[in-house]
Amino acid sequence: MRLFLACALTLAPLAALAQDLVFSPQATELCLDSVAPIAQAQCVGHSADACMQDTVGGESTVGMGGCLWAEYEYWDARLNAAYTALRALNLATDEANATLTPQAPSLADSLQAMQRAWIPYRDATCDYARAQWGGGTGGGPATSACLLDLTGRQALTSEFHLAEAQR
């Protein structure tokens, strides 16, 4: 909750800049298409970087925060889509396994527990990233960069598990 409030207060000034942001996920998607799956984590942040370069004022604290937040939202949507699809597959697998191996652990429950444990980890990690700035203006972009990085990595992990489950 603290992280959400800090982000909301920090990102409030972004409303004015949001109209002028030049964000596209294209740089990230081009990177993802050009590297092996094991190396895809290096692509997280590419579109935010491009946004900062292409947006007038993108190098400012507000500009950086806006670009980082825009890519964070991109990855958050991917994470939610992968989680939803993976959970549905896991529930179907659990149902099929219930008669064959009733002692098997629930995939859907394990996935949910993993995701629920990851959220406080993400929040604490990003609180720490913000604290490095001692209350300074760099704390907002540091928090957004942290959220972007961890959410992008979690999305890629979830997409990997989804692809494996669909095989």
Side-chain angles (χ1 to χ4, degrees):
M1 184 64 166
R2 219 177 18 170
L3 178 65
F4 175 76
L5 290 174
C7 286
L9 292 173
T10 302
L11 296 174
L14 294 178
L17 180 68
Q19 303 161 18
D20 300 329
L21 281 181
V22 182
F23 179 80
S24 165
Q26 183 179 15
T28 299
E29 291 170 356
L30 287 172
C31 179
L32 291 170
D33 290 342
S34 68
V35 298
I38 190 114
Q40 287 184 332
Q42 74 183 10
C43 300
V44 175
H46 275 47
S47 292
D49 290 343
C51 173
M52 286 182 243
Q53 292 174 8
D54 297 342
T55 297
V56 174
E59 73 286 349
S60 70
T61 302
V62 172
M64 288 186 289
C67 291
L68 292 164
W69 194 258
E71 188 170 344
Y72 159 75
E73 289 179 329
Y74 164 79
W75 284 109
D76 190 54
R78 285 182 66 150
L79 174 57
N80 288 326
Y83 176 84
T84 300
L86 184 56
R87 180 142 169 86
L89 282 173
N90 286 173
L91 286 167
T93 301
D94 286 347
E95 188 176 317
N97 286 345
T99 55
L100 300 172
T101 53
Q103 73 281 7
S106 166
L107 289 169
D109 290 349
S110 296
L111 174 67
Q112 185 178 51
M114 179 271 303
Q115 189 65 13
R116 285 183 176 171
W118 174 78
I119 292 169
Y121 165 79
R122 177 203 63 194
D123 291 349
T125 301
C126 295
D127 278 346
Y128 182 71
R130 180 181 196 77
Q132 300 301 305
W133 289 87
T137 59
T143 301
S144 296
C146 178
L147 289 168
L148 158 61
D149 181 58
L150 294 179
T151 303
R153 291 172 185 275
Q154 187 72 355
L156 290 169
T157 298
S158 295
E159 289 172 353
F160 170 79
H161 288 298
L162 177 61
E164 290 295 308
Q166 290 173 329
R167 287 187 182 176

